[in-house]
């Protein structure tokens, strides 16, 4: 009881410090309001959510742009700010006068790291309107006015955030001994700072808006303006709405913080699962592996659903572990909520939902009534998310939608010869996988991609014409790990960290994962069986549709768990073998020449 009280006290203190530190950091943020952007074609964007405009590269759209926004008076005006640029900025002024910008074009053009603005305190102390003029070569353009993380007041706030998180972990982690607790807290604290560095300094999501990331951004902008088209449901709407809500509330800074905490939360949940199931040594290995796991960390630097989806899947796994252990109906309800919520971020686990229900019924086939109640409660949890989604789509799109409209096109990609597809509305889609496999057959369709019934029929025609594709589609299981690099991480500055990590994955992580599965081969633990079913359902999903390396990453909590168990087992084996070698007598034979030299035989 005494330890519990002390633990609660430390946790409460950490929570208070964390809240104060985050409030302090947001207090120091020069938040832009009333953003107005004049495009090169002289069209004006009013009340934009960001002080930049994304657009695909098109030399015909090159020209000048202008950005104007207002910052409110700050309680603690910073003396230094940082200005990041997309394309070039040539002039900067406020109502207090012009600013001298660097003369070096490399500093003013496409500078994602940003350059320092000095003596900004007077401008931040009062309401200020900022004006920028620049030019674009035809792609994205604009500026980002931010606090400088190397500035002392800002750096102290960041250190307090990290310290308060570590204090809360120290108070509540299930580590038994002090050395174990200190080690794990240090690793998890480093994991948090690593993700902060990636998201805020190394590769901010704002500077990687292309392909899927740009699609989410555009759909959010359209919804904000009250423009609703069915094409906005091509991918699940969950991430679009999540990102839009965060950016309206706190700009890209709040969104970026959410990316950091979701990625870090995935690491913490992996440790908690492994520590509870396999003990301290495996838990320590899982903390080390998950903290430095580049695919999970790298996805945090992109404006896309994978980072949040990985967190939701890992949270579901942790909750399922607890639920199958304690068998509470509230756990099954929460499992249903999480499964449905994750589905509206990415649908790669869709087949697992009915498979899990059938397995629960089979597992308790001797008590079918009890099993049916559990499955029904889980179904109610799913409906708590599905019904509002269908109501929202009915209101804004004219008919209720159960899920995204991309499923039929994905089926076409996986089962038909055409891998590069364009529809009647001008949309064009090609999976990165087929770029790397050099499968680039193009087809122009006379129906929009949102016409799912048409594309399902066309996909089934392809299967009827070439039934062997059902066998060749097994290759998509292989592509979950091999045959294609991890897109889009290979497309931003995190790639220099990813490629060294890739060697570790193939030559250490996968063998350790297989070893861990061998150790568990006779386990009757229900959670172990459920996780095997989850991975098999992913194989079924990619066989039915298509795959990429990134489709696996949100489920890598399982690989890390199994790999950590394999590493722990191998470590114990090494220690055991070492002890046997130390304890076994080794006879050293002495030659006649050594005997004559007076050497006595030695046995150890």
């Amino acid at each position: 009881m005494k330890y519990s009280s002390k633990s609660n006290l430390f946790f409460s203190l950490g929570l208070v410090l964390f809240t104060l530190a985050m409030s302090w950091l947001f207090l120091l943020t020069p938040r832009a309001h009333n953003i107005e952007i004049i495009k090169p074609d002289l069209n004006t964007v009013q009340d934009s959510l960001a002080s930049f405009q994304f657009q695909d590269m098109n030399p015909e759209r090159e020209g000048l742009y202008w950005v104007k926004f207002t910052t409110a008076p700050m309680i603690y005006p910073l003396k230094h700010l940082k200005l990041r640029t997309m394309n070039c900025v040539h002039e900067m002024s406020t109502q207090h006068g012009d600013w001298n910008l660097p003369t070096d074009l490399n500093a003013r053009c496409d500078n994602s790291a940003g350059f320092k603005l000095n003596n900004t305190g007077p401008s931040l102390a009062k309401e200020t309107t900022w004006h920028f003029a620049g030019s674009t070569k035809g792609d994205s353009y604009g500026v980002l006015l931010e606090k400088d993380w190397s500035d002392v007041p800002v750096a102290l706030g960041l250190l307090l955030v990290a310290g308060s998180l570590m204090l809360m972990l120290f108070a509540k982690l299930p580590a038994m001994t002090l050395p174990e607790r200190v080690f794990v807290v240090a690793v998890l604290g480093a994991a948090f700072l690593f993700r902060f560095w990636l998201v805020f300094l190394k590769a901010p999501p704002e500077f990687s808006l292309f392909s899927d990331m740009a699609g989410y951004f555009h759909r959010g902008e359209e919804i904000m303006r009250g423009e609703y088209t069915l094409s906005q449901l091509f991918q699940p709407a969950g991430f679009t709405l999540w990102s839009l809500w965060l950016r309206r509330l706190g700009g890209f800074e709040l969104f970026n913080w959410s990316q950091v905490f979701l990625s870090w939360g995935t690491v913490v949940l992996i440790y908690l699962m492994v520590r509870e199931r396999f003990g301290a040594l495996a838990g320590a290995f899982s903390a080390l592996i998950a903290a430095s796991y580049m695919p999970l960390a790298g996805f945090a630097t992109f404006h896309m659903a994978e980072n949040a989806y990985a967190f939701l899947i890992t949270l579901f796994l942790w909750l399922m572990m607890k639920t199958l252990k304690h068998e509470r109906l509230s756990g099954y309800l929460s499992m249903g909520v999480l499964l449905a919520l994750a589905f509206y971020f990415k649908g790669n686990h869709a087949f697992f939902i009915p498979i899990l229900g059938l397995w629960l019924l089979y597992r308790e086939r001797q008590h079918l009534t009890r099993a049916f109640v559990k499955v029904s409660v889980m179904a109610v949890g799913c409906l708590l998310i599905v019904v509002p989604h269908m109501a929202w789509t009915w209101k804004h799109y004219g008919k209720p939608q159960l899920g995204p409209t991309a499923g039929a096109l994905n089926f076409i990609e996986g089962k038909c010869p055409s891998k590069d597809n364009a529809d009647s509305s001008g949309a064009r889609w090609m999976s990165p996988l087929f770029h790397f496999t050099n499968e680039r057959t193009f087809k122009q369709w006379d129906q929009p991609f949102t016409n799912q019934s048409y594309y399902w029929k066309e996909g089934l025609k392809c299967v009827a014409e070439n039934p062997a594709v059902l066998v060749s589609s097994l290759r998509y299981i292989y592509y979950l790990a091999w045959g294609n690099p991890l897109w889009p991480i290979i497309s931003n500055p995190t790639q220099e960290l990813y490629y060294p990590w890739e060697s570790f994955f193939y030559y250490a992580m996968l063998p350790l994962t297989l070893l861990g599965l061998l150790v568990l081969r006779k386990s009757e633990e229900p959670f172990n069986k459920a996780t095997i079913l989850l991975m098999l359902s992913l194989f079924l999903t990619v066989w039915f549709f298509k795959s990429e390396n990134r489709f696996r990453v949100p489920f890598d909590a399982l690989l890390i768990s199994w790999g950590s168990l394999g590493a722990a087992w191998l470590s114990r084996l090494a220690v055991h073998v070492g002890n046997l070698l130390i304890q076994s007598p080794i006879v050293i034979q002495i030659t006649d020449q050594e005997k004559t030299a007076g050497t006595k035989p030695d046995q150890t």
Side-chain angles (χ1 to χ4, degrees), residues 46-355:
Q46 301 282 356
D47 295 323
S48 174
L49 281 181
S51 54
F52 62 87
Q53 278 287 294
F54 165 81
Q55 62 183 25
D56 293 318
M57 181 62 185
N58 185 347
E60 295 181 358
R61 292 185 291 195
E62 68 176 350
L64 302 177
Y65 71 85
W66 295 265
V67 176
K68 181 178 74 172
F69 57 77
T70 302
T71 54
M74 296 178 63
I75 298 175
Y76 188 93
L78 293 170
K79 298 178 181 178
H80 308 285
L81 291 178
K82 181 173 286 188
L83 189 71
R84 301 177 190 257
T85 63
M86 294 182 183
N87 262 288
C88 294
V89 59
H90 302 304
E91 295 179 3
M92 171 183 168
S93 65
T94 67
Q95 71 264 38
H96 311 298
D98 294 339
W99 288 70
N100 293 322
L101 297 179
T103 56
D104 184 4
L105 277 179
N106 291 325
R108 291 190 281 113
C109 298
D110 293 316
N111 189 345
S112 61
F115 59 85
K116 183 174 287 190
L117 298 175
N118 296 315
N119 302 318
T120 56
S123 297
L124 296 176
K126 60 190 73 174
E127 183 175 271
T128 299
T129 300
W130 305 75
H131 301 265
F132 301 87
S135 62
T136 172
K137 302 183 295 292
D139 53 348
S140 300
Y141 55 88
V143 296
L144 290 90
L145 187 66
E146 302 175 348
K147 53 182 173 282
D148 184 357
W149 291 99
S150 64
D151 208 356
V152 173
V154 183
L156 289 176
L158 175 62
L159 290 176
L160 186 56
V161 169
S164 60
L165 287 174
M166 294 172 72
L167 180 60
M168 288 189 282
L169 289 173
F170 188 84
K172 289 298 182 180
L173 279 182
M176 299 301 293
T177 64
L178 181 61
E180 178 193 357
R181 188 181 295 269
V182 170
F183 173 79
V184 173
V185 168
V187 171
L188 296 181
F192 170 77
L193 291 174
F194 177 53
R195 281 151 178 78
F196 168 84
W197 175 73
L198 286 176
V199 172
F200 280 91
L201 302 177
K202 179 71 173 177
E206 303 97 305
F207 288 87
S208 295
L209 290 177
F210 58 90
S211 189
D212 289 23
M213 294 71 76
Y216 288 118
F217 184 81
H218 276 314
R219 290 191 289 271
E221 295 280 304
E222 290 170 354
I223 291 172
M224 183 189 70
R225 294 193 297 265
E227 303 169 5
Y228 294 93
T229 60
L230 199 57
S231 61
Q232 293 166 352
L233 301 179
F234 182 73
Q235 291 174 305
F239 179 77
T240 300
L241 298 176
W242 166 252
S243 166
L244 177 61
W245 177 70
L246 287 175
R247 288 185 290 115
R248 293 186 75 169
L249 189 63
F252 253 104
E253 179 172 0
L254 182 58
F255 171 80
N256 291 351
W257 273 117
S258 77
Q259 292 290 89
V260 171
F261 285 115
L262 289 172
S263 182
W264 182 69
T266 301
V267 177
V268 175
L269 288 169
I270 290 172
Y271 166 74
L272 292 175
M273 280 194 300
V274 175
R275 177 64 175 81
E276 181 168 338
R277 293 183 69 203
F278 306 133
L281 184 58
F285 275 117
S286 73
L288 282 171
I289 295 172
S292 57
Y293 205 78
M294 268 312 298
L296 289 173
F299 274 141
T301 66
F302 291 95
H303 183 255
M304 63 192 306
E306 272 73 2
N307 185 51
Y309 183 55
F311 173 79
L312 290 171
I313 290 296
T314 310
L315 179 60
F316 166 76
L317 288 170
W318 176 81
L319 180 64
M320 183 169 67
M321 178 188 72
K322 294 289 188 181
T323 301
L324 293 176
K325 183 177 181 179
H326 301 293
E327 295 291 349
R328 295 192 180 97
L329 289 180
S330 59
Y332 286 99
L333 180 70
S334 300
M335 282 169 57
V337 169
L338 280 175
L339 284 172
L341 184 61
F343 176 74
Y344 290 118
F345 279 75
K346 294 287 288 188
N348 295 343
H349 67 293
F351 286 170
F352 177 67
I353 299 174
I355 289 173

Side-chain angles (χ1 to χ4, degrees), residues 459-476:
L460 291 173
K461 285 181 184 178
C462 292
V463 175
E465 293 170 1
N466 180 26
V469 75
L470 297 177
V471 177
S472 64
S473 291
L474 291 171
R475 67 186 176 126
Y476 294 128

Side-chain angles (χ1 to χ4, degrees), residues 568-584:
W569 186 90
L570 201 60
S571 299
R572 292 190 181 98
L573 177 64
V575 172
H576 181 65
V577 171
N579 288 336
L580 288 178
L581 291 175
I582 292 173
Q583 295 170 7
S584 300

